[in-house]
Amino acid sequence: MRKVYISGLGQVPVTENWEKSIRELAGDAALLAMQDADIGYPDALYVGNMMAITANRQAQLGTMMSDWLGFHHKPGLAVEAACGSGAAAFRAAVIAIASGEIESALVIGVEKMTDSPGSEITASLATAADAELEGDFGLSFVAINALIMQRYMFEYGWRHADFADFSLNAHANAAHNPYARFQKAISRKSFLDAPMVAEPINLMDASPIGDGAAAIVLTSQPLSHNHPQVFVAASASCTDTLSVQNRKTPTFLTAAANSANRAYAQAGIGPQDIGVFEYHDAFSIMAALSLEACGFAEPGRGPQLALDGKIKFDSEIPVATMGGLKARGHPVGATGVYQLLEVTQQLRGAAGATQVKRTKYGMAQNIGGSGSNITTHILQRE
Ligand code: COA
């Protein structure tokens, strides 16, 4: 398989954007990425999106963006894997280029969540779960994660306060990211005092609803830019049971472990080589479970890494370096592309105030559903 290079980046701020439609948001990010790459129109277009059909009454995002951007009859396809749609779209493009079918692709992740009332968005988010086994019983997505967190705290003896540092770290990093939804550090007290959403998940454990779009141009050849080249060293995807109740161990993300292990094998490295990890901290419990599944902590020990300060951008395993899902924001289908863009910025040495020290390998892991569809990418600086 051929190498695939990251040759153009574009993003718009994650926010409540009532001025722009979904195609305008996606188009703005796409044009920035295409300008950055400066190669004209790529050979194909992939769009990661989860809920345009329900939230924006729009299917066919591949066609919509091809039309809006003037892709002149080139292939355009939407890819859906719930909150993991962004990385799934990126992976589809990587495979197409690596196989030799095309030479370049534009990947867009987009989600426009704030045009609909909160209750409708909550219902749309719940479609990422198993409709018959979970959704039909009234479980929201937050509630499912709350049940996992309750079980985890019961099994391993953690208190809610022990999860605070995941959020503190994310918000502290987002304070330096002009594209982040919440550009403000938070205090331990505001974490502890935040309103409860679904016991034990409070407002500061949860990622916010938001609108956003990020885009990446991929090419089979490195382009002559004046920054270090970054290429895709590994791309791996794995599924698990759709419902959490059908898992032997609901407190371990088996699909995350399997996709991370496949990615490590493809890149010929291990967790100790990763200099930055953009994980899927949709809830603080997911932050802990991701660190454990990807080999950075033993099962049940994830919160200790945060408590010991080891997840900060200048420490052992930097995570959420631009704010993560918690504070950069989580426009669901766009998130995977934001993560990959941020890892690329880190490896290029262009991450500003939260620049990590080790810039050879970075990992991004995007989770669809409650750990049911997981894509892991490892990027490498040449
Ligand atoms: N973290 C910090 N602050 C948040 C926040 C969050 N996650 N969500 C909202 N806020 C803030 C808002 O900015 C607003 O502040 P303001 O009053 O100063 O303007 C305030 O809290 C109320 O915002 P609102 O939009 O009314 O919140 P809400 O109660 O409707 O929604 C959640 C809060 C947590 C229920 C909602 O963000 C949610 O459902 N999150 C989870 C989304 C999800 O499941 N994603 C998929 C995961 S894979």
Side-chain angles (χ1 to χ4, degrees), residues 16 83 113 118 122 125 141-142 145 171 181-182 197 202-209 280 282-283 325-326 330 332 367 369:
E16 266 185 68
C83 307
M113 304 171 82
T122 299
L125 286 168
F141 210 71
V142 186
N145 281 271
H171 279 271
R181 176 98 164 81
F182 298 123
V197 182
N202 75 17
L203 192 66
M204 290 302 163
D205 288 293
S207 56
I209 306 285
H280 193 98
F283 302 99
L325 280 62
K326 174 67 197 77
H330 184 24
V332 285
I367 302 185

PDB file of all heavy atoms in Angstrom, residues 16 83 113 118 122 125 141-142 145 171 181-182 197 202-209 280 282-283 325-326 330 332 367 369, ligand 1:
ATOM      1  N   GLU A  16     -22.017  27.854  18.496  1.00  0.00           N
ATOM      2  CA  GLU A  16     -23.421  27.856  18.081  1.00  0.00           C
ATOM      3  C   GLU A  16     -23.490  28.784  16.889  1.00  0.00           C
ATOM      4  O   GLU A  16     -23.484  30.003  17.057  1.00  0.00           O
ATOM      5  CB  GLU A  16     -24.300  28.416  19.205  1.00  0.00           C
ATOM      6  CG  GLU A  16     -24.876  27.366  20.095  1.00  0.00           C
ATOM      7  CD  GLU A  16     -25.835  27.959  21.112  1.00  0.00           C
ATOM      8  OE1 GLU A  16     -26.914  28.441  20.731  1.00  0.00           O
ATOM      9  OE2 GLU A  16     -25.486  27.941  22.310  1.00  0.00           O
ATOM     10  N   CYS A  83     -20.749   9.056  16.180  1.00  0.00           N
ATOM     11  CA  CYS A  83     -19.777  10.092  16.555  1.00  0.00           C
ATOM     12  C   CYS A  83     -18.404   9.792  15.972  1.00  0.00           C
ATOM     13  O   CYS A  83     -17.492  10.621  16.055  1.00  0.00           O
ATOM     14  CB  CYS A  83     -19.662  10.200  18.069  1.00  0.00           C
ATOM     15  SG  CYS A  83     -21.238  10.411  18.870  1.00  0.00           S
ATOM     16  N   MET A 113     -25.627  21.079  14.874  1.00  0.00           N
ATOM     17  CA  MET A 113     -26.507  20.507  15.893  1.00  0.00           C
ATOM     18  C   MET A 113     -27.442  21.515  16.540  1.00  0.00           C
ATOM     19  O   MET A 113     -28.411  21.128  17.198  1.00  0.00           O
ATOM     20  CB  MET A 113     -25.658  19.854  16.999  1.00  0.00           C
ATOM     21  CG  MET A 113     -24.692  18.798  16.493  1.00  0.00           C
ATOM     22  SD  MET A 113     -23.526  18.241  17.761  1.00  0.00           S
ATOM     23  CE  MET A 113     -24.494  17.042  18.660  1.00  0.00           C
ATOM     24  N   GLY A 118     -32.922  21.065  21.967  1.00  0.00           N
ATOM     25  CA  GLY A 118     -32.077  20.101  22.674  1.00  0.00           C
ATOM     26  C   GLY A 118     -32.682  18.709  22.756  1.00  0.00           C
ATOM     27  O   GLY A 118     -31.984  17.703  22.611  1.00  0.00           O
ATOM     28  N   THR A 122     -30.941  15.314  21.563  1.00  0.00           N
ATOM     29  CA  THR A 122     -30.748  14.188  22.481  1.00  0.00           C
ATOM     30  C   THR A 122     -31.290  12.901  21.865  1.00  0.00           C
ATOM     31  O   THR A 122     -30.655  11.845  21.925  1.00  0.00           O
ATOM     32  CB  THR A 122     -31.432  14.478  23.835  1.00  0.00           C
ATOM     33  OG1 THR A 122     -30.812  15.640  24.383  1.00  0.00           O
ATOM     34  CG2 THR A 122     -31.292  13.332  24.807  1.00  0.00           C
ATOM     35  N   LEU A 125     -28.953  11.835  19.038  1.00  0.00           N
ATOM     36  CA  LEU A 125     -27.721  11.235  19.570  1.00  0.00           C
ATOM     37  C   LEU A 125     -27.963   9.802  20.033  1.00  0.00           C
ATOM     38  O   LEU A 125     -27.099   8.924  19.883  1.00  0.00           O
ATOM     39  CB  LEU A 125     -27.170  12.069  20.737  1.00  0.00           C
ATOM     40  CG  LEU A 125     -26.504  13.390  20.347  1.00  0.00           C
ATOM     41  CD1 LEU A 125     -26.270  14.263  21.570  1.00  0.00           C
ATOM     42  CD2 LEU A 125     -25.184  13.134  19.622  1.00  0.00           C
ATOM     43  N   PHE A 141     -28.059   9.061  25.386  1.00  0.00           N
ATOM     44  CA  PHE A 141     -26.646   8.689  25.258  1.00  0.00           C
ATOM     45  C   PHE A 141     -25.877   9.013  26.545  1.00  0.00           C
ATOM     46  O   PHE A 141     -25.001   8.260  26.973  1.00  0.00           O
ATOM     47  CB  PHE A 141     -26.038   9.420  24.062  1.00  0.00           C
ATOM     48  CG  PHE A 141     -24.942   8.644  23.447  1.00  0.00           C
ATOM     49  CD1 PHE A 141     -25.222   7.488  22.742  1.00  0.00           C
ATOM     50  CD2 PHE A 141     -23.628   9.029  23.613  1.00  0.00           C
ATOM     51  CE1 PHE A 141     -24.201   6.728  22.202  1.00  0.00           C
ATOM     52  CE2 PHE A 141     -22.610   8.284  23.071  1.00  0.00           C
ATOM     53  CZ  PHE A 141     -22.895   7.130  22.359  1.00  0.00           C
ATOM     54  N   VAL A 142     -26.229  10.134  27.169  1.00  0.00           N
ATOM     55  CA  VAL A 142     -25.579  10.490  28.435  1.00  0.00           C
ATOM     56  C   VAL A 142     -25.891   9.420  29.487  1.00  0.00           C
ATOM     57  O   VAL A 142     -25.017   9.001  30.253  1.00  0.00           O
ATOM     58  CB  VAL A 142     -26.034  11.876  28.942  1.00  0.00           C
ATOM     59  CG1 VAL A 142     -25.243  12.281  30.170  1.00  0.00           C
ATOM     60  CG2 VAL A 142     -25.894  12.931  27.868  1.00  0.00           C
ATOM     61  N   ASN A 145     -23.757   6.312  29.167  1.00  0.00           N
ATOM     62  CA  ASN A 145     -22.406   6.555  29.688  1.00  0.00           C
ATOM     63  C   ASN A 145     -22.402   6.686  31.208  1.00  0.00           C
ATOM     64  O   ASN A 145     -21.452   6.295  31.876  1.00  0.00           O
ATOM     65  CB  ASN A 145     -21.804   7.792  29.018  1.00  0.00           C
ATOM     66  CG  ASN A 145     -21.281   7.464  27.644  1.00  0.00           C
ATOM     67  OD1 ASN A 145     -20.129   7.077  27.477  1.00  0.00           O
ATOM     68  ND2 ASN A 145     -22.143   7.571  26.639  1.00  0.00           N
ATOM     69  N   HIS A 171     -10.103  21.897  29.444  1.00  0.00           N
ATOM     70  CA  HIS A 171     -10.456  23.323  29.423  1.00  0.00           C
ATOM     71  C   HIS A 171      -9.205  24.209  29.467  1.00  0.00           C
ATOM     72  O   HIS A 171      -9.169  25.253  28.810  1.00  0.00           O
ATOM     73  CB  HIS A 171     -11.402  23.655  30.576  1.00  0.00           C
ATOM     74  CG  HIS A 171     -12.838  23.307  30.282  1.00  0.00           C
ATOM     75  ND1 HIS A 171     -13.710  24.185  29.672  1.00  0.00           N
ATOM     76  CD2 HIS A 171     -13.544  22.168  30.487  1.00  0.00           C
ATOM     77  CE1 HIS A 171     -14.898  23.611  29.522  1.00  0.00           C
ATOM     78  NE2 HIS A 171     -14.826  22.382  30.017  1.00  0.00           N
ATOM     79  N   ARG A 181     -14.814  25.579  21.501  1.00  0.00           N
ATOM     80  CA  ARG A 181     -16.160  26.014  21.960  1.00  0.00           C
ATOM     81  C   ARG A 181     -16.050  26.770  23.285  1.00  0.00           C
ATOM     82  O   ARG A 181     -16.730  27.750  23.491  1.00  0.00           O
ATOM     83  CB  ARG A 181     -17.012  24.748  22.130  1.00  0.00           C
ATOM     84  CG  ARG A 181     -18.380  24.942  22.662  1.00  0.00           C
ATOM     85  CD  ARG A 181     -19.373  24.975  21.527  1.00  0.00           C
ATOM     86  NE  ARG A 181     -20.734  24.784  21.994  1.00  0.00           N
ATOM     87  CZ  ARG A 181     -21.470  25.752  22.518  1.00  0.00           C
ATOM     88  NH1 ARG A 181     -20.962  26.955  22.684  1.00  0.00           N
ATOM     89  NH2 ARG A 181     -22.710  25.509  22.884  1.00  0.00           N
ATOM     90  N   PHE A 182     -15.232  26.285  24.221  1.00  0.00           N
ATOM     91  CA  PHE A 182     -15.076  26.929  25.529  1.00  0.00           C
ATOM     92  C   PHE A 182     -13.614  27.311  25.732  1.00  0.00           C
ATOM     93  O   PHE A 182     -12.795  26.464  26.069  1.00  0.00           O
ATOM     94  CB  PHE A 182     -15.521  25.995  26.662  1.00  0.00           C
ATOM     95  CG  PHE A 182     -16.967  25.621  26.595  1.00  0.00           C
ATOM     96  CD1 PHE A 182     -17.346  24.300  26.527  1.00  0.00           C
ATOM     97  CD2 PHE A 182     -17.956  26.583  26.598  1.00  0.00           C
ATOM     98  CE1 PHE A 182     -18.688  23.948  26.463  1.00  0.00           C
ATOM     99  CE2 PHE A 182     -19.301  26.250  26.532  1.00  0.00           C
ATOM    100  CZ  PHE A 182     -19.669  24.925  26.464  1.00  0.00           C
ATOM    101  N   VAL A 197     -26.281  15.964  35.198  1.00  0.00           N
ATOM    102  CA  VAL A 197     -27.024  15.640  33.968  1.00  0.00           C
ATOM    103  C   VAL A 197     -27.656  14.259  34.117  1.00  0.00           C
ATOM    104  O   VAL A 197     -28.862  14.090  34.001  1.00  0.00           O
ATOM    105  CB  VAL A 197     -26.110  15.694  32.721  1.00  0.00           C
ATOM    106  CG1 VAL A 197     -26.912  15.397  31.449  1.00  0.00           C
ATOM    107  CG2 VAL A 197     -25.423  17.049  32.602  1.00  0.00           C
ATOM    108  N   ASN A 202     -21.921  14.974  35.420  1.00  0.00           N
ATOM    109  CA  ASN A 202     -22.426  16.342  35.520  1.00  0.00           C
ATOM    110  C   ASN A 202     -21.993  17.135  34.289  1.00  0.00           C
ATOM    111  O   ASN A 202     -21.340  16.590  33.382  1.00  0.00           O
ATOM    112  CB  ASN A 202     -22.021  16.992  36.860  1.00  0.00           C
ATOM    113  CG  ASN A 202     -20.554  17.412  36.917  1.00  0.00           C
ATOM    114  OD1 ASN A 202     -19.888  17.528  35.891  1.00  0.00           O
ATOM    115  ND2 ASN A 202     -20.047  17.640  38.116  1.00  0.00           N
ATOM    116  N   LEU A 203     -22.391  18.403  34.252  1.00  0.00           N
ATOM    117  CA  LEU A 203     -22.141  19.222  33.050  1.00  0.00           C
ATOM    118  C   LEU A 203     -20.662  19.233  32.673  1.00  0.00           C
ATOM    119  O   LEU A 203     -20.323  19.283  31.490  1.00  0.00           O
ATOM    120  CB  LEU A 203     -22.637  20.654  33.313  1.00  0.00           C
ATOM    121  CG  LEU A 203     -22.738  21.587  32.112  1.00  0.00           C
ATOM    122  CD1 LEU A 203     -23.799  21.122  31.131  1.00  0.00           C
ATOM    123  CD2 LEU A 203     -23.028  23.009  32.561  1.00  0.00           C
ATOM    124  N   MET A 204     -19.774  19.186  33.669  1.00  0.00           N
ATOM    125  CA  MET A 204     -18.345  19.283  33.386  1.00  0.00           C
ATOM    126  C   MET A 204     -17.710  17.931  33.041  1.00  0.00           C
ATOM    127  O   MET A 204     -16.537  17.859  32.703  1.00  0.00           O
ATOM    128  CB  MET A 204     -17.607  19.942  34.563  1.00  0.00           C
ATOM    129  CG  MET A 204     -17.931  21.403  34.708  1.00  0.00           C
ATOM    130  SD  MET A 204     -17.535  22.315  33.185  1.00  0.00           S
ATOM    131  CE  MET A 204     -18.466  23.818  33.451  1.00  0.00           C
ATOM    132  N   ASP A 205     -18.487  16.858  33.141  1.00  0.00           N
ATOM    133  CA  ASP A 205     -18.025  15.553  32.640  1.00  0.00           C
ATOM    134  C   ASP A 205     -18.356  15.378  31.170  1.00  0.00           C
ATOM    135  O   ASP A 205     -17.820  14.477  30.517  1.00  0.00           O
ATOM    136  CB  ASP A 205     -18.728  14.407  33.382  1.00  0.00           C
ATOM    137  CG  ASP A 205     -18.269  14.248  34.804  1.00  0.00           C
ATOM    138  OD1 ASP A 205     -17.101  13.883  34.991  1.00  0.00           O
ATOM    139  OD2 ASP A 205     -19.075  14.489  35.724  1.00  0.00           O
ATOM    140  N   ALA A 206     -19.288  16.204  30.659  1.00  0.00           N
ATOM    141  CA  ALA A 206     -19.866  15.955  29.335  1.00  0.00           C
ATOM    142  C   ALA A 206     -19.312  16.896  28.278  1.00  0.00           C
ATOM    143  O   ALA A 206     -19.027  18.063  28.546  1.00  0.00           O
ATOM    144  CB  ALA A 206     -21.384  16.128  29.409  1.00  0.00           C
ATOM    145  N   SER A 207     -19.193  16.388  27.082  1.00  0.00           N
ATOM    146  CA  SER A 207     -18.861  17.240  25.937  1.00  0.00           C
ATOM    147  C   SER A 207     -20.118  18.011  25.547  1.00  0.00           C
ATOM    148  O   SER A 207     -21.229  17.533  25.746  1.00  0.00           O
ATOM    149  CB  SER A 207     -18.381  16.388  24.764  1.00  0.00           C
ATOM    150  OG  SER A 207     -19.365  15.426  24.441  1.00  0.00           O
ATOM    151  N   PRO A 208     -19.933  19.218  24.990  1.00  0.00           N
ATOM    152  CA  PRO A 208     -21.107  20.038  24.645  1.00  0.00           C
ATOM    153  C   PRO A 208     -21.634  19.759  23.244  1.00  0.00           C
ATOM    154  O   PRO A 208     -20.934  19.237  22.382  1.00  0.00           O
ATOM    155  CB  PRO A 208     -20.545  21.452  24.720  1.00  0.00           C
ATOM    156  CG  PRO A 208     -19.113  21.303  24.342  1.00  0.00           C
ATOM    157  CD  PRO A 208     -18.673  19.945  24.794  1.00  0.00           C
ATOM    158  N   ILE A 209     -22.881  20.153  23.025  1.00  0.00           N
ATOM    159  CA  ILE A 209     -23.488  20.211  21.696  1.00  0.00           C
ATOM    160  C   ILE A 209     -22.865  21.404  20.957  1.00  0.00           C
ATOM    161  O   ILE A 209     -22.602  22.432  21.576  1.00  0.00           O
ATOM    162  CB  ILE A 209     -25.009  20.479  21.852  1.00  0.00           C
ATOM    163  CG1 ILE A 209     -25.668  19.452  22.783  1.00  0.00           C
ATOM    164  CG2 ILE A 209     -25.716  20.625  20.532  1.00  0.00           C
ATOM    165  CD1 ILE A 209     -25.897  18.130  22.257  1.00  0.00           C
ATOM    166  N   HIS A 280     -11.103  10.298  22.632  1.00  0.00           N
ATOM    167  CA  HIS A 280     -12.524  10.619  22.450  1.00  0.00           C
ATOM    168  C   HIS A 280     -13.160  10.838  23.829  1.00  0.00           C
ATOM    169  O   HIS A 280     -13.874   9.992  24.356  1.00  0.00           O
ATOM    170  CB  HIS A 280     -13.203   9.465  21.703  1.00  0.00           C
ATOM    171  CG  HIS A 280     -14.566   9.801  21.178  1.00  0.00           C
ATOM    172  ND1 HIS A 280     -14.801  10.188  19.868  1.00  0.00           N
ATOM    173  CD2 HIS A 280     -15.777   9.803  21.771  1.00  0.00           C
ATOM    174  CE1 HIS A 280     -16.096  10.411  19.693  1.00  0.00           C
ATOM    175  NE2 HIS A 280     -16.713  10.182  20.841  1.00  0.00           N
ATOM    176  N   ALA A 282     -15.692  12.185  25.098  1.00  0.00           N
ATOM    177  CA  ALA A 282     -17.073  12.669  25.049  1.00  0.00           C
ATOM    178  C   ALA A 282     -17.629  12.809  26.464  1.00  0.00           C
ATOM    179  O   ALA A 282     -18.457  13.679  26.737  1.00  0.00           O
ATOM    180  CB  ALA A 282     -17.941  11.720  24.236  1.00  0.00           C
ATOM    181  N   PHE A 283     -17.193  11.939  27.363  1.00  0.00           N
ATOM    182  CA  PHE A 283     -17.509  11.999  28.796  1.00  0.00           C
ATOM    183  C   PHE A 283     -16.226  11.638  29.529  1.00  0.00           C
ATOM    184  O   PHE A 283     -15.378  10.923  28.982  1.00  0.00           O
ATOM    185  CB  PHE A 283     -18.634  11.003  29.135  1.00  0.00           C
ATOM    186  CG  PHE A 283     -19.881  11.260  28.335  1.00  0.00           C
ATOM    187  CD1 PHE A 283     -20.164  10.505  27.210  1.00  0.00           C
ATOM    188  CD2 PHE A 283     -20.747  12.288  28.678  1.00  0.00           C
ATOM    189  CE1 PHE A 283     -21.295  10.766  26.442  1.00  0.00           C
ATOM    190  CE2 PHE A 283     -21.881  12.562  27.912  1.00  0.00           C
ATOM    191  CZ  PHE A 283     -22.152  11.801  26.796  1.00  0.00           C
ATOM    192  N   LEU A 325     -12.802  16.780  23.097  1.00  0.00           N
ATOM    193  CA  LEU A 325     -14.251  16.870  22.874  1.00  0.00           C
ATOM    194  C   LEU A 325     -14.899  17.713  23.964  1.00  0.00           C
ATOM    195  O   LEU A 325     -15.867  18.418  23.762  1.00  0.00           O
ATOM    196  CB  LEU A 325     -14.880  15.477  22.857  1.00  0.00           C
ATOM    197  CG  LEU A 325     -14.740  14.673  21.558  1.00  0.00           C
ATOM    198  CD1 LEU A 325     -13.289  14.378  21.214  1.00  0.00           C
ATOM    199  CD2 LEU A 325     -15.541  13.394  21.622  1.00  0.00           C
ATOM    200  N   LYS A 326     -14.341  17.616  25.175  1.00  0.00           N
ATOM    201  CA  LYS A 326     -14.909  18.312  26.331  1.00  0.00           C
ATOM    202  C   LYS A 326     -14.929  19.822  26.140  1.00  0.00           C
ATOM    203  O   LYS A 326     -15.906  20.476  26.501  1.00  0.00           O
ATOM    204  CB  LYS A 326     -14.109  17.950  27.598  1.00  0.00           C
ATOM    205  CG  LYS A 326     -14.520  18.735  28.822  1.00  0.00           C
ATOM    206  CD  LYS A 326     -15.947  18.362  29.264  1.00  0.00           C
ATOM    207  CE  LYS A 326     -16.573  19.352  30.203  1.00  0.00           C
ATOM    208  NZ  LYS A 326     -17.067  20.581  29.557  1.00  0.00           N
ATOM    209  N   HIS A 330     -17.710  19.030  20.514  1.00  0.00           N
ATOM    210  CA  HIS A 330     -17.962  17.726  19.894  1.00  0.00           C
ATOM    211  C   HIS A 330     -19.131  17.811  18.913  1.00  0.00           C
ATOM    212  O   HIS A 330     -20.216  17.295  19.175  1.00  0.00           O
ATOM    213  CB  HIS A 330     -18.237  16.705  21.018  1.00  0.00           C
ATOM    214  CG  HIS A 330     -18.412  15.298  20.558  1.00  0.00           C
ATOM    215  ND1 HIS A 330     -17.898  14.811  19.382  1.00  0.00           N
ATOM    216  CD2 HIS A 330     -19.077  14.250  21.139  1.00  0.00           C
ATOM    217  CE1 HIS A 330     -18.225  13.525  19.255  1.00  0.00           C
ATOM    218  NE2 HIS A 330     -18.939  13.167  20.302  1.00  0.00           N
ATOM    219  N   VAL A 332     -20.564  16.147  16.470  1.00  0.00           N
ATOM    220  CA  VAL A 332     -20.232  14.715  16.436  1.00  0.00           C
ATOM    221  C   VAL A 332     -19.533  14.204  15.173  1.00  0.00           C
ATOM    222  O   VAL A 332     -18.437  13.655  15.251  1.00  0.00           O
ATOM    223  CB  VAL A 332     -21.450  13.853  16.816  1.00  0.00           C
ATOM    224  CG1 VAL A 332     -21.687  13.926  18.309  1.00  0.00           C
ATOM    225  CG2 VAL A 332     -22.722  14.312  16.101  1.00  0.00           C
ATOM    226  N   ILE A 367     -14.550   7.531  18.495  1.00  0.00           N
ATOM    227  CA  ILE A 367     -15.455   6.465  18.938  1.00  0.00           C
ATOM    228  C   ILE A 367     -16.873   6.738  18.459  1.00  0.00           C
ATOM    229  O   ILE A 367     -17.439   7.798  18.737  1.00  0.00           O
ATOM    230  CB  ILE A 367     -15.445   6.359  20.483  1.00  0.00           C
ATOM    231  CG1 ILE A 367     -14.021   6.081  20.980  1.00  0.00           C
ATOM    232  CG2 ILE A 367     -16.427   5.285  20.951  1.00  0.00           C
ATOM    233  CD1 ILE A 367     -13.922   5.851  22.475  1.00  0.00           C
ATOM    234  N   GLY A 369     -20.814   5.523  18.790  1.00  0.00           N
ATOM    235  CA  GLY A 369     -21.629   4.779  19.753  1.00  0.00           C
ATOM    236  C   GLY A 369     -20.897   4.661  21.080  1.00  0.00           C
ATOM    237  O   GLY A 369     -19.855   5.289  21.304  1.00  0.00           O
TER     238      GLY A 369
HETATM  239  N1  COA B   1     -19.597  21.761  29.408  1.00  0.00           N
HETATM  240  C1  COA B   1     -19.519  22.993  29.936  1.00  0.00           C
HETATM  241  N2  COA B   1     -20.487  23.912  29.790  1.00  0.00           N
HETATM  242  C2  COA B   1     -21.564  23.575  29.063  1.00  0.00           C
HETATM  243  C3  COA B   1     -21.695  22.299  28.469  1.00  0.00           C
HETATM  244  C4  COA B   1     -20.670  21.377  28.677  1.00  0.00           C
HETATM  245  N3  COA B   1     -20.733  20.160  28.145  1.00  0.00           N
HETATM  246  N4  COA B   1     -22.882  22.252  27.806  1.00  0.00           N
HETATM  247  C5  COA B   1     -23.468  23.437  27.968  1.00  0.00           C
HETATM  248  N5  COA B   1     -22.672  24.244  28.719  1.00  0.00           N
HETATM  249  C6  COA B   1     -22.987  25.591  29.183  1.00  0.00           C
HETATM  250  C7  COA B   1     -23.515  26.483  28.080  1.00  0.00           C
HETATM  251  O1  COA B   1     -22.490  27.229  27.463  1.00  0.00           O
HETATM  252  C8  COA B   1     -24.457  27.377  28.845  1.00  0.00           C
HETATM  253  O2  COA B   1     -23.703  28.361  29.523  1.00  0.00           O
HETATM  254  P1  COA B   1     -24.252  29.847  29.720  1.00  0.00           P
HETATM  255  O3  COA B   1     -25.516  29.701  30.528  1.00  0.00           O
HETATM  256  O4  COA B   1     -23.134  30.545  30.417  1.00  0.00           O
HETATM  257  O5  COA B   1     -24.518  30.359  28.332  1.00  0.00           O
HETATM  258  C9  COA B   1     -25.037  26.470  29.915  1.00  0.00           C
HETATM  259  O6  COA B   1     -24.043  25.449  30.104  1.00  0.00           O
HETATM  260  C10 COA B   1     -26.355  25.836  29.523  1.00  0.00           C
HETATM  261  O7  COA B   1     -26.248  25.389  28.186  1.00  0.00           O
HETATM  262  P2  COA B   1     -27.351  24.506  27.480  1.00  0.00           P
HETATM  263  O8  COA B   1     -27.042  24.445  26.019  1.00  0.00           O
HETATM  264  O9  COA B   1     -28.719  24.981  27.889  1.00  0.00           O
HETATM  265  O10 COA B   1     -27.079  23.078  28.125  1.00  0.00           O
HETATM  266  P3  COA B   1     -28.017  21.850  28.108  1.00  0.00           P
HETATM  267  O11 COA B   1     -28.427  21.601  29.504  1.00  0.00           O
HETATM  268  O12 COA B   1     -29.071  21.982  27.061  1.00  0.00           O
HETATM  269  O13 COA B   1     -27.026  20.696  27.595  1.00  0.00           O
HETATM  270  C11 COA B   1     -25.753  18.739  28.074  1.00  0.00           C
HETATM  271  C12 COA B   1     -25.989  20.220  28.409  1.00  0.00           C
HETATM  272  C13 COA B   1     -24.570  18.245  28.863  1.00  0.00           C
HETATM  273  C14 COA B   1     -27.024  17.932  28.411  1.00  0.00           C
HETATM  274  C15 COA B   1     -25.501  18.620  26.546  1.00  0.00           C
HETATM  275  O14 COA B   1     -24.368  19.388  26.217  1.00  0.00           O
HETATM  276  C16 COA B   1     -25.278  17.189  26.119  1.00  0.00           C
HETATM  277  O15 COA B   1     -26.234  16.468  25.876  1.00  0.00           O
HETATM  278  N6  COA B   1     -24.020  16.762  25.993  1.00  0.00           N
HETATM  279  C17 COA B   1     -23.681  15.408  25.575  1.00  0.00           C
HETATM  280  C18 COA B   1     -23.696  15.320  24.097  1.00  0.00           C
HETATM  281  C19 COA B   1     -23.459  13.922  23.626  1.00  0.00           C
HETATM  282  O16 COA B   1     -24.027  12.959  24.124  1.00  0.00           O
HETATM  283  N7  COA B   1     -22.628  13.783  22.604  1.00  0.00           N
HETATM  284  C20 COA B   1     -22.298  12.514  22.029  1.00  0.00           C
HETATM  285  C21 COA B   1     -21.267  11.820  22.825  1.00  0.00           C
HETATM  286  S1  COA B   1     -20.392  10.567  21.903  1.00  0.00           S
END
